[in-house]
PDB file of all heavy atoms in Angstrom:
ATOM      1  N   VAL A 406      -4.668   5.473   8.338  1.00 96.00           N
ATOM      2  CA  VAL A 406      -5.211   4.760   7.232  1.00 96.00           C
ATOM      3  C   VAL A 406      -5.659   5.826   6.219  1.00 96.00           C
ATOM      4  O   VAL A 406      -6.608   6.557   6.390  1.00 96.00           O
ATOM      5  CB  VAL A 406      -6.429   3.888   7.618  1.00 96.00           C
ATOM      6  CG1 VAL A 406      -7.041   3.231   6.411  1.00 96.00           C
ATOM      7  CG2 VAL A 406      -5.989   2.848   8.646  1.00 96.00           C
ATOM      8  N   SER A 408      -7.266   5.928   3.432  1.00 93.00           N
ATOM      9  CA  SER A 408      -8.656   5.967   2.868  1.00 93.00           C
ATOM     10  C   SER A 408      -9.700   6.445   3.938  1.00 93.00           C
ATOM     11  O   SER A 408     -10.904   6.624   3.582  1.00 93.00           O
ATOM     12  CB  SER A 408      -9.069   4.546   2.411  1.00 93.00           C
ATOM     13  OG  SER A 408      -9.038   3.637   3.491  1.00 93.00           O
ATOM     14  N   SER A 409      -9.233   6.672   5.158  1.00 95.00           N
ATOM     15  CA  SER A 409     -10.171   7.162   6.218  1.00 95.00           C
ATOM     16  C   SER A 409     -10.191   8.667   6.249  1.00 95.00           C
ATOM     17  O   SER A 409      -9.330   9.364   5.646  1.00 95.00           O
ATOM     18  CB  SER A 409      -9.715   6.588   7.578  1.00 95.00           C
ATOM     19  OG  SER A 409      -8.551   7.212   8.020  1.00 95.00           O
ATOM     20  N   THR A 410     -11.033   9.267   7.020  1.00 94.00           N
ATOM     21  CA  THR A 410     -11.157  10.696   7.227  1.00 94.00           C
ATOM     22  C   THR A 410     -10.118  11.079   8.289  1.00 94.00           C
ATOM     23  O   THR A 410     -10.075  10.371   9.332  1.00 94.00           O
ATOM     24  CB  THR A 410     -12.556  11.098   7.743  1.00 94.00           C
ATOM     25  OG1 THR A 410     -13.473  10.586   6.750  1.00 94.00           O
ATOM     26  CG2 THR A 410     -12.715  12.560   7.935  1.00 94.00           C
ATOM     27  N   ARG A 411      -9.437  12.130   8.131  1.00 95.00           N
ATOM     28  CA  ARG A 411      -8.396  12.702   9.052  1.00 95.00           C
ATOM     29  C   ARG A 411      -7.487  11.623   9.649  1.00 95.00           C
ATOM     30  O   ARG A 411      -7.428  11.519  10.889  1.00 95.00           O
ATOM     31  CB  ARG A 411      -9.160  13.430  10.241  1.00 95.00           C
ATOM     32  CG  ARG A 411      -9.851  14.658   9.746  1.00 95.00           C
ATOM     33  CD  ARG A 411     -11.176  14.937  10.469  1.00 95.00           C
ATOM     34  NE  ARG A 411     -11.080  14.836  11.841  1.00 95.00           N
ATOM     35  CZ  ARG A 411     -12.118  14.445  12.695  1.00 95.00           C
ATOM     36  NH1 ARG A 411     -13.287  14.093  12.157  1.00 95.00           N
ATOM     37  NH2 ARG A 411     -12.034  14.387  13.962  1.00 95.00           N
ATOM     38  N   ALA A 456     -14.632  10.287  15.596  1.00 94.00           N
ATOM     39  CA  ALA A 456     -15.708  10.178  14.673  1.00 94.00           C
ATOM     40  C   ALA A 456     -17.005  10.734  15.088  1.00 94.00           C
ATOM     41  O   ALA A 456     -17.927  10.939  14.338  1.00 94.00           O
ATOM     42  CB  ALA A 456     -15.947   8.673  14.314  1.00 94.00           C
ATOM     43  N   GLN A 463     -18.686   9.643   5.370  1.00 75.00           N
ATOM     44  CA  GLN A 463     -17.185   9.611   5.440  1.00 75.00           C
ATOM     45  C   GLN A 463     -16.773   8.400   6.292  1.00 75.00           C
ATOM     46  O   GLN A 463     -17.403   7.981   7.271  1.00 75.00           O
ATOM     47  CB  GLN A 463     -16.643  10.853   6.027  1.00 75.00           C
ATOM     48  CG  GLN A 463     -16.876  12.089   5.179  1.00 75.00           C
ATOM     49  CD  GLN A 463     -16.294  13.368   5.823  1.00 75.00           C
ATOM     50  OE1 GLN A 463     -16.368  13.558   7.072  1.00 75.00           O
ATOM     51  NE2 GLN A 463     -15.618  14.186   5.052  1.00 75.00           N
ATOM     52  N   ASN A 464     -15.588   7.832   5.869  1.00 88.00           N
ATOM     53  CA  ASN A 464     -15.055   6.762   6.583  1.00 88.00           C
ATOM     54  C   ASN A 464     -14.501   7.358   7.941  1.00 88.00           C
ATOM     55  O   ASN A 464     -13.926   8.440   7.971  1.00 88.00           O
ATOM     56  CB  ASN A 464     -13.824   6.171   5.851  1.00 88.00           C
ATOM     57  CG  ASN A 464     -14.300   5.359   4.702  1.00 88.00           C
ATOM     58  OD1 ASN A 464     -15.361   4.774   4.703  1.00 88.00           O
ATOM     59  ND2 ASN A 464     -13.523   5.420   3.627  1.00 88.00           N
ATOM     60  N   SER A 465     -14.655   6.611   9.005  1.00 95.00           N
ATOM     61  CA  SER A 465     -14.208   7.139  10.325  1.00 95.00           C
ATOM     62  C   SER A 465     -12.656   7.176  10.365  1.00 95.00           C
ATOM     63  O   SER A 465     -12.006   6.405   9.672  1.00 95.00           O
ATOM     64  CB  SER A 465     -14.725   6.160  11.459  1.00 95.00           C
ATOM     65  OG  SER A 465     -16.086   6.072  11.432  1.00 95.00           O
ATOM     66  N   PRO A 466     -12.139   8.187  11.124  1.00 97.00           N
ATOM     67  CA  PRO A 466     -10.692   8.220  11.310  1.00 97.00           C
ATOM     68  C   PRO A 466     -10.178   6.893  11.801  1.00 97.00           C
ATOM     69  O   PRO A 466     -10.778   6.171  12.622  1.00 97.00           O
ATOM     70  CB  PRO A 466     -10.524   9.353  12.417  1.00 97.00           C
ATOM     71  CG  PRO A 466     -11.704  10.219  12.257  1.00 97.00           C
ATOM     72  CD  PRO A 466     -12.833   9.270  11.846  1.00 97.00           C
ATOM     73  N   ALA A 467      -9.038   6.466  11.249  1.00 97.00           N
ATOM     74  CA  ALA A 467      -8.485   5.172  11.600  1.00 97.00           C
ATOM     75  C   ALA A 467      -6.951   5.140  11.447  1.00 97.00           C
ATOM     76  O   ALA A 467      -6.387   5.968  10.754  1.00 97.00           O
ATOM     77  CB  ALA A 467      -9.024   4.139  10.647  1.00 97.00           C
ATOM     78  N   TRP A 537      -7.474  -2.577  12.673  1.00 97.00           N
ATOM     79  CA  TRP A 537      -7.124  -1.148  12.828  1.00 97.00           C
ATOM     80  C   TRP A 537      -7.790  -0.565  14.046  1.00 97.00           C
ATOM     81  O   TRP A 537      -8.639  -1.250  14.692  1.00 97.00           O
ATOM     82  CB  TRP A 537      -7.431  -0.398  11.586  1.00 97.00           C
ATOM     83  CG  TRP A 537      -8.912  -0.314  11.184  1.00 97.00           C
ATOM     84  CD1 TRP A 537      -9.790   0.634  11.584  1.00 97.00           C
ATOM     85  CD2 TRP A 537      -9.599  -1.280  10.342  1.00 97.00           C
ATOM     86  NE1 TRP A 537     -11.039   0.330  11.042  1.00 97.00           N
ATOM     87  CE2 TRP A 537     -10.950  -0.824  10.285  1.00 97.00           C
ATOM     88  CE3 TRP A 537      -9.183  -2.373   9.663  1.00 97.00           C
ATOM     89  CZ2 TRP A 537     -11.897  -1.486   9.562  1.00 97.00           C
ATOM     90  CZ3 TRP A 537     -10.118  -3.060   8.919  1.00 97.00           C
ATOM     91  CH2 TRP A 537     -11.506  -2.596   8.824  1.00 97.00           C
ATOM     92  N   LEU A 538      -7.485   0.615  14.381  1.00 98.00           N
ATOM     93  CA  LEU A 538      -8.150   1.387  15.458  1.00 98.00           C
ATOM     94  C   LEU A 538      -9.087   2.399  14.865  1.00 98.00           C
ATOM     95  O   LEU A 538      -8.755   3.069  13.834  1.00 98.00           O
ATOM     96  CB  LEU A 538      -7.158   2.172  16.312  1.00 98.00           C
ATOM     97  CG  LEU A 538      -5.943   1.356  16.891  1.00 98.00           C
ATOM     98  CD1 LEU A 538      -5.146   2.242  17.797  1.00 98.00           C
ATOM     99  CD2 LEU A 538      -6.370   0.091  17.645  1.00 98.00           C
ATOM    100  N   GLY A 539     -10.348   2.515  15.362  1.00 97.00           N
ATOM    101  CA  GLY A 539     -11.246   3.460  14.855  1.00 97.00           C
ATOM    102  C   GLY A 539     -12.661   3.029  15.051  1.00 97.00           C
ATOM    103  O   GLY A 539     -12.911   1.838  15.423  1.00 97.00           O
ATOM    104  N   ALA A 540     -13.650   3.931  14.846  1.00 96.00           N
ATOM    105  CA  ALA A 540     -15.027   3.621  15.104  1.00 96.00           C
ATOM    106  C   ALA A 540     -15.623   2.452  14.257  1.00 96.00           C
ATOM    107  O   ALA A 540     -16.525   1.750  14.697  1.00 96.00           O
ATOM    108  CB  ALA A 540     -15.864   4.906  14.825  1.00 96.00           C
ATOM    109  N   ASP A 541     -15.066   2.266  13.067  1.00 94.00           N
ATOM    110  CA  ASP A 541     -15.599   1.153  12.176  1.00 94.00           C
ATOM    111  C   ASP A 541     -14.703  -0.091  12.242  1.00 94.00           C
ATOM    112  O   ASP A 541     -14.816  -0.941  11.354  1.00 94.00           O
ATOM    113  CB  ASP A 541     -15.779   1.649  10.770  1.00 94.00           C
ATOM    114  CG  ASP A 541     -14.449   2.228  10.192  1.00 94.00           C
ATOM    115  OD1 ASP A 541     -13.436   2.136  10.839  1.00 94.00           O
ATOM    116  OD2 ASP A 541     -14.482   2.656   8.980  1.00 94.00           O
TER     117      ASP A 541
END
Side-chain angles (χ1 to χ4, degrees):
V406 177
S408 59
S409 71
T410 304
R411 291 148 47 214
Q463 293 180 318
N464 293 325
S465 301
W537 62 90
L538 309 184
D541 58 0

